[in-house]
């Protein structure tokens, strides 16, 4: 990633402190300085309690930082959010039971007031992309967990957002489904060239998917290293068997501070 | 030998699980057959005057079923008139009360700071016994109209309204606020205005809860209408007819109205279940 690219997201001295039950300050995140380029695939990696989800939510304006600030495309996260330039894939597939898969994918477009025909065409396109074309008129409960998460991803891409936030989207899935979705995600990302921020606690997942890994350490949550992942793209699953992949995994593992990862 | 026994046990356990699965068909059959058997037994005991012997009563106070049927047939016009009065009280009260309760729930969900008191007040109403408020409201509404039939109707409708509003308000509030995790974040990410979140997330989410409320309040509205008729000034209504006829010792006629009350209740429940199976199909 040596070539000059436009910087899209900047965080400066970002920190989040909240009060616990006994009114004591708990530092969830402190002093995060980060620059993310347009079209980059960034993994936020760390053990639980390191503030990676908090960092993601601050950038997506789902949470207010208590210190420092975030700039996205020269604006505040709130301004960017109100322009509907974000997509977010949550840990669980947040599909509405009373809507068919297709109608769920159309939801963001409905909120934006797109026309019926446009919504339908775009939803069909997204269903095709994630391989759920035959399930368009099924209800979420009729789908498996992996299929639900695919519908979730289709919905996030449907609005063609500039920035896509993904918060451990595959952590509840089995290994086979996960690998399939990894490949799908990389394919979709290449085709659409989004900026993706991907939270995970799985080192292999982070290395396989991302351009750079931001390693976060806990107590207090902080950015402890940024590791460049210089594996050539497009990547296939065989990459995981290469020596270089193993070396990168080791490098990431060794960059945790505080020895919290064995 | 020991090995054989263990194998048998495993075999047995498997067949138990299978039996549980197969029993679905039987479960369906028994839900129909048991009530039918119960009904047939009851009819037999009643017509055979065995009930009368058990309860030390006679066919004057507990008339035979064919006699009740005869009276229902002979007084069809009068029964229908009274049924109309009771059903309109129940339906009007149910509709106004449910809408009112839902509105309070929406306000509480949208403006929790000032609205949360609403469901609490409804909860208080829910705990007031019908027999206590019915006579009081009957007195309050005395000056509302010169027509006894109208002021009596209003007083009965208010009682039903209060009961139904309480039930709907408490359930709907849960339906509007107990939302799948991250759903609200999802709406926030797409910068959905509050009314869009209400319309596309909260209202559809509350639909199953609305039916939970109705499953209680539909029978309750009929029951409340009948009970408040006891205290009403005007003597039309199934409940009032039960009372009048018992007072006049016309037990057979009283029983005809009791049977009518049962039929109204069953009919209302069947209609509600039909609506539910259509509207909630996609939720399950």
């Amino acid at each position: 990633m040596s070539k000059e690219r436009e910087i899209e997201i900047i965080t400066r001295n970002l920190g989040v402190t909240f009060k616990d039950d006994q009114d004591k300050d708990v530092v969830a995140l402190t002093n995060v300085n980060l620059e993310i380029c347009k079209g980059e695939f960034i993994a936020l990696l760390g053990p639980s309690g390191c503030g990676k989800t908090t960092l993601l939510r601050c950038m997506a304006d789902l949470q207010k930082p208590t210190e420092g600030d975030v700039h996205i495309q020269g604006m505040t996260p709130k301004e960017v959010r109100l322009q509907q330039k974000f997509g977010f894939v949550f840990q669980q597939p947040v599909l509405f039971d009373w809507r068919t898969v297709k109608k769920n994918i159309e939801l963001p477009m409905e909120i934006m007031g797109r026309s019926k025909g446009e919504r339908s065409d775009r939803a069909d396109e997204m269903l095709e992309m994630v391989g759920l074309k035959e399930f368009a008129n099924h209800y979420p409960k009729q789908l498996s967990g992996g299929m639900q998460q695919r519908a979730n991803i289709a919905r996030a891409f449907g609005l063609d957002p500039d920035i896509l936030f993904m918060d451990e989207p595959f952590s509840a899935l089995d290994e086979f489904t996960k690998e399939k979705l990894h490949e799908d995600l990389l394919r979709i990302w290449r085709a659409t060239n989004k900026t993706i921020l991907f939270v995970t606690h799985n080192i292999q997942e982070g290395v396989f998917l991302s351009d750079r890994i931001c390693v976060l350490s806990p107590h207090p949550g902080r950015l402890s290293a940024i590791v460049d992942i210089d594996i050539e793209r497009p990547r296939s699953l065989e990459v995981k068997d290469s020596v270089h992949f193993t070396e990168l995994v080791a490098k990431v593992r060794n960059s945790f501070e505080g020895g919290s990862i064995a | 030998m020991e090995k054989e026994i263990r194998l048998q046990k495993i075999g047995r356990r498997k067949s138990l699980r299978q039996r549980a699965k197969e029993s679905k068909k039987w479960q369906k059959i028994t839900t129909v057959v048991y009530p039918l058997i119960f009904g047939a037994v009851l009819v037999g005991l009643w017509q055979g005057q065995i009930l009368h012997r058990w309860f030390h009563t006679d066919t004057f106070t507990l008339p035979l079923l064919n006699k009740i049927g005869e009276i229902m047939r002979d007084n069809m016009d009068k029964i229908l008139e009274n049924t109309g009065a009771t059903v309109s009280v129940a339906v009007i009260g149910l509709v106004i009360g449910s809408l009112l309760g839902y509105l309070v729930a929406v306000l509480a969900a949208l403006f929790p700071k000032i609205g949360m008191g609403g469901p609490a007040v409804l909860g208080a109403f829910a705990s007031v016994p019908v027999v206590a408020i019915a006579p009081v409201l009957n007195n309050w509404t005395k000056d509302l109209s010169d027509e006894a039939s109208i002021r009596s109707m209003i007083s009965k409708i208010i009682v039903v309204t209060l009961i139904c509003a309480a039930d709907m308000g408490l359930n709907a509030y849960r339906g509007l606020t107990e939302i799948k995790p991250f759903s609200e974040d999802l709406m926030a990410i797409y910068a959905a205005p509050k009314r869009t979140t209400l319309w596309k997330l909260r209202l559809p989410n509350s639909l199953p809860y609305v039916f939970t409320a109705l499953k209680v309040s539909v029978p309750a509205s009929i029951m409340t209408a009948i009970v408040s008729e006891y205290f009403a000034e005007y003597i039309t209504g199934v409940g009032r007819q039960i009372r009048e006829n018992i007072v006049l010792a016309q037990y057979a006629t009283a029983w005809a109205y009791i049977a009518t009350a049962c039929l109204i209740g069953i009919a209302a429940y069947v209609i509600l279940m039909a609506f539910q199976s259509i509207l909630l199909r996609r939720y399950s």
Side-chain angles (χ1 to χ4, degrees):
Chain A
M1 295 299 127
S2 54
K3 63 184 167 186
E4 206 56 43
R5 292 170 83 175
E6 192 187 327
I7 291 172
E8 188 159 43
I9 305 173
I10 303 171
T11 71
R12 273 198 305 243
N13 302 323
L14 191 75
V16 174
T17 306
F18 61 89
K19 295 219 184 291
D20 68 1
D21 304 340
Q22 281 122 39
D23 217 34
K24 267 195 261 171
D25 283 348
V26 177
V27 182
L29 204 61
T30 182
N31 205 25
V32 176
N33 289 291
L34 198 58
E35 287 184 354
I36 295 162
C37 295
K38 199 166 165 45
E40 223 180 345
F41 198 128
I42 296 282
L44 303 174
L45 182 83
S48 25
C50 71
K52 52 193 191 298
T53 296
T54 309
L55 177 57
L56 195 75
R57 291 177 68 88
C58 283
M59 291 196 266
D61 192 41
L62 290 176
Q63 195 171 342
K64 296 264 173 292
T66 49
E67 294 150 49
D69 43 33
V70 182
H71 291 277
I72 299 174
Q73 301 175 349
M75 291 176 277
T76 64
K78 188 175 180 183
E79 286 165 334
V80 184
R81 178 173 66 84
L82 292 179
Q83 290 177 11
Q84 294 160 319
K85 288 181 173 175
F86 289 158
F88 205 115
V89 180
F90 298 90
Q91 284 167 26
Q92 304 164 21
V94 193
L95 300 169
F96 294 172
D97 292 341
W98 52 87
R99 285 171 168 255
T100 60
V101 171
K102 187 173 170 183
K103 286 277 172 201
N104 265 293
I105 293 169
E106 286 183 24
L107 177 76
M109 295 182 263
E110 273 178 45
I111 295 171
M112 280 194 78
R114 301 264 173 90
S115 75
K116 208 170 181 181
E118 191 191 343
R119 278 180 347 226
S120 178
D121 291 349
R122 182 78 182 147
D124 284 335
E125 214 177 296
M126 292 300 110
L127 283 165
E128 174 100 60
M129 183 178 78
V130 297
L132 283 178
K133 211 175 159 194
E134 292 92 81
F135 298 93
N137 295 318
H138 282 56
Y139 286 95
K141 280 184 182 167
Q142 298 170 304
L143 302 187
S144 68
M147 287 157 103
Q148 288 185 12
Q149 200 54 278
R150 253 182 247 199
N152 209 7
I153 291 167
R155 180 179 56 198
F157 275 97
L159 254 197
D160 204 19
D162 286 359
I163 301 162
L164 189 62
F165 300 98
M166 304 182 87
D167 187 6
E168 299 187 22
F170 307 138
S171 57
L173 302 177
D174 66 82
E175 210 57 39
F176 300 99
T177 313
K178 201 189 276 187
E179 287 195 333
K180 174 80 178 67
L181 287 177
H182 283 162
E183 285 192 309
D184 290 347
L185 178 61
L186 286 182
R187 178 174 54 77
I188 298 166
W189 173 66
R190 278 170 57 82
T192 55
N193 201 31
K194 307 280 168 219
T195 308
I196 296 186
L197 283 114
F198 189 101
V199 164
T200 178
H201 51 65
N202 184 316
I203 301 177
Q204 277 83 0
E205 186 176 54
V207 172
F208 181 68
L209 292 173
S210 64
D211 293 326
R212 284 192 293 161
I213 294 186
C214 299
V215 179
L216 287 102
S217 296
H219 313 302
R222 64 200 184 280
L223 188 61
S224 52
I226 297 178
V227 181
D228 278 320
I229 306 298
D230 52 355
I231 302 173
E232 250 175 73
R233 292 189 190 269
R235 297 172 188 170
S236 62
L237 289 174
E238 288 83 63
V239 165
K240 293 188 181 183
D241 302 324
S242 70
V243 180
H244 190 46
F245 186 87
T246 319
E247 283 169 359
L248 282 167
V249 169
K251 189 176 171 189
V252 172
R253 184 178 289 127
N254 292 330
S255 60
F256 283 99
E257 287 171 9
S260 53
I261 290 234
Chain B
M1 187 67 193
E2 205 181 319
K3 210 175 183 181
E4 237 169 75
I5 291 170
R6 199 183 299 156
L7 275 176
Q8 256 180 348
K9 269 188 182 165
I10 293 168
R12 177 70 177 271
R13 207 181 299 163
K14 215 174 183 179
S15 78
L16 268 175
R17 205 177 300 153
Q18 253 171 352
R19 258 190 281 170
K21 228 181 198 174
E22 283 163 11
S23 75
K24 270 227 169 103
K25 197 176 82 192
W26 277 103
Q27 286 164 18
K28 267 185 197 157
I29 294 170
T30 48
T31 46
V32 178
V33 168
Y34 284 180
L36 285 179
I37 293 174
F38 175 76
V41 168
L42 190 66
V43 167
L45 292 174
W46 198 319
Q47 280 302 94
Q49 299 193 25
I50 300 161
L51 278 183
H52 300 72
R53 213 175 308 144
W54 285 352
F55 294 109
H56 303 288
T57 181
D58 50 41
T59 52
F60 179 67
T61 38
L62 185 58
L64 293 181
L65 290 167
N66 59 325
K67 174 91 174 148
I68 297 173
E70 258 168 50
I71 289 177
M72 285 179 82
R73 201 170 51 237
D74 294 346
N75 296 297
M76 200 38 106
D77 290 345
K78 219 180 151 219
I79 286 178
L80 282 180
E81 190 196 327
N82 285 294
T83 302
T86 304
V87 169
S88 36
V89 167
V91 169
I92 295 170
L94 178 74
V95 170
I96 299 175
S98 298
L99 290 176
L100 196 71
Y102 199 87
L103 188 71
V104 170
V106 168
L107 291 176
L110 286 186
F111 313 104
K113 269 183 215 155
I114 50 168
M116 261 318 284
V121 172
L122 291 182
F125 277 124
S127 57
V128 177
V130 177
V131 283
I133 42 172
V136 174
L137 277 166
N138 206 31
N139 266 330
W140 282 5
T141 52
K142 272 216 158 79
D143 304 324
L144 283 178
S145 168
D146 295 333
E147 287 275 338
S149 65
I150 291 175
R151 56 178 187 250
S152 202
M153 266 297 251
I154 293 173
S155 122
K156 288 184 279 188
I157 287 171
I158 293 175
V159 183
V160 178
T161 301
L162 289 179
I163 298 297
C164 294
D167 183 42
M168 179 59 75
L170 297 174
N171 277 294
Y173 178 73
R174 285 185 55 203
L176 292 163
T177 52
E178 287 180 8
I179 279 165
K180 260 200 219 166
F182 305 117
S183 303
E184 282 174 279
D185 286 342
L186 180 79
M187 300 307 269
I189 278 290
Y190 296 118
K194 224 173 179 180
R195 59 166 192 284
T196 309
T197 307
L198 177 71
W199 195 247
K200 294 197 185 294
L201 173 60
R202 294 190 189 278
L203 295 193
N205 193 68
S206 74
L207 194 60
Y209 294 79
V210 167
F211 275 98
T212 307
L214 287 177
K215 262 183 260 176
V216 176
S217 62
V218 164
S221 69
I222 294 161
M223 215 147 63
T224 307
I226 288 172
V227 171
S228 50
E229 278 164 3
Y230 271 56
F231 302 98
E233 200 182 343
Y234 196 64
I235 61 163
T236 306
V238 173
R240 189 50 179 252
Q241 289 298 328
I242 295 171
R243 180 186 155 177
E244 293 292 317
N245 284 295
I246 287 175
V247 170
L248 298 172
Q250 291 169 348
Y251 294 115
T253 318
W255 275 101
Y257 281 102
I258 291 171
T260 307
C262 294
L263 290 176
I264 297 171
I266 292 168
Y269 202 73
V270 168
I271 293 169
L272 176 67
M273 291 324 253
F275 269 110
Q276 172 172 308
S277 67
I278 295 165
L279 288 172
L280 288 191
R281 194 181 296 149
R282 57 179 64 175
Y283 284 76
S284 55

